[in-house]
Amino acid sequence: MAHGSAADSFTARTRKAVHRARTTLRRSAVDYFRGDGSDWLALAGLLLTVPAITWGTIAAPVWCSPVALVLPIVAGGLLLRPASLLGLYAAAAAALIVETVALGPYLEGPARVTPGTVLVVAACGLFGLLIAQFRARVGVPWRRGGTMLFDLRERIRVQSALPRLPQGWHQEMALRPAGGQSFSGDFTVAARTNGGRTLEVVLTDVSGKGMDAASRALLLSGAFGGLLGSLPPHAFLPAANGYLLRQDWDEGFATSIHLVLDLDSGDYELLSAGHLPALQLHAGSGRWEEKSAEGPLLGVYDGAQFDPVKGSLRPGDVLMLFTDGLVEASGRDITEGIDRLTGEADRYVTSGFEGAAWHLIEAVAKDVNDDRALLLLCRQA
């Protein structure tokens, strides 16, 4: 009995030890890939590859070139911190010395350690160290860098999502950043207020384009999303203007257009901060009307006033909000761009505007090196 109890106790202790080891390893792996843990595991793995490559080079130099040492060096530049990277470089330098002694002078035959080999390995090490130092200074490990950018892009996309509208209304938003990038200086924020009876949409064009404006657009979209619905409609643009002024950016201005729509009656107000006019299609006449509101750019001066313009969407009417990248081009007047946009939009009058927003951007501003955004709001007949 005593012998059996001892065996059971040993087995239990062994299971507990294995469980602790697995838990510790799992936690270390999770922390590592989050960028929070130590890089000792990656360093140990890369250090083991150095003697393996060295052995392969000495055994078969034709198939395993001495320059193969750049492989762990490049991987180390992506995986390791600068201090750990120096240890890997010391191991690679020692491996080159061993290979040189074992293979002999490079003048005696091919597949030797030549001065060119040393230069290539050293250059790769220098680039890897620069990358590692940049990551350490920014504070974002490579394992999370791409995830962070993807998360930022998704946050902008989610914040730009339009709320669901009641039956009888159709809306769609298309956004195309400059240069085919994933980030844009154009964004929208929207909310249903007044118990869901009112739709408020703000389309904003931040100064700059692409990645240069994306960080400011992300900050502004979060701030504007918090302001929208928390303030009376006429107080939104003055509050947004004050927020931009407090940022004190060198290139801190933006244009915005704020739509306040009564979903029951179709009546609306437009308030503009230096933005292009909206376009309304009147189903009765088949003509497009420019709806221009008065107001200065956001972030230019304090105490700005924004005067609204009123309108009404009847069954079959369409309202378009867009940014300047859709109608502006060098050597062409904005009026020509607006005429081209309305001309292309006329193609959808009979068939309906579902799916039209993206196709309109493709038709009028496909190759424009600027951020483009288009919002369509239709009251169905």
Side-chain angles (χ1 to χ4, degrees), residues 174-187 205-214 217 323-326 328 358 361-362 365-373:
L175 180 64
R176 189 155 184 178
Q181 301 179 38
S182 298
F183 298 91
S184 173
D186 298 346
F187 66 89
D205 183 358
V206 179
S207 58
K209 58 187 177 182
M211 293 292 290
D212 294 334
T323 56
D324 57 5
L326 211 60
E328 277 189 351
W358 183 260
I361 293 180
E362 286 285 303
K366 180 179 181 180
D367 299 321
V368 175
N369 187 28
D370 197 359
D371 300 323
R372 292 141 291 169

Side-chain angles (χ1 to χ4, degrees), residues 255-345:
T255 69
S256 280
I257 187 167
H258 182 193
L259 169 66
V260 184
L261 172 65
D262 189 320
L263 295 171
D264 293 331
S265 65
D267 297 334
Y268 66 84
E269 282 189 343
L270 279 172
L271 299 101
S272 176
H275 203 83
L276 294 173
L279 296 173
Q280 180 178 351
L281 172 66
H282 295 277
S285 63
R287 294 186 176 183
W288 291 91
E289 177 190 4
E290 291 189 11
K291 307 293 290 189
S292 301
E294 297 296 330
L297 298 169
L298 295 178
V300 176
Y301 62 87
D302 199 6
Q305 293 185 350
F306 305 93
D307 300 322
V309 62
K310 296 184 179 182
S312 183
L313 290 176
R314 303 304 179 193
D317 287 1
V318 179
L319 189 66
M320 283 200 301
L321 308 179
F322 51 91
T323 56
D324 57 5
L326 211 60
V327 294
E328 277 189 351
S330 58
R332 186 182 72 185
D333 189 69
I334 292 181
T335 304
E336 296 180 24
I338 292 177
D339 290 341
R340 184 181 178 188
L341 175 61
T342 55
E344 290 291 337

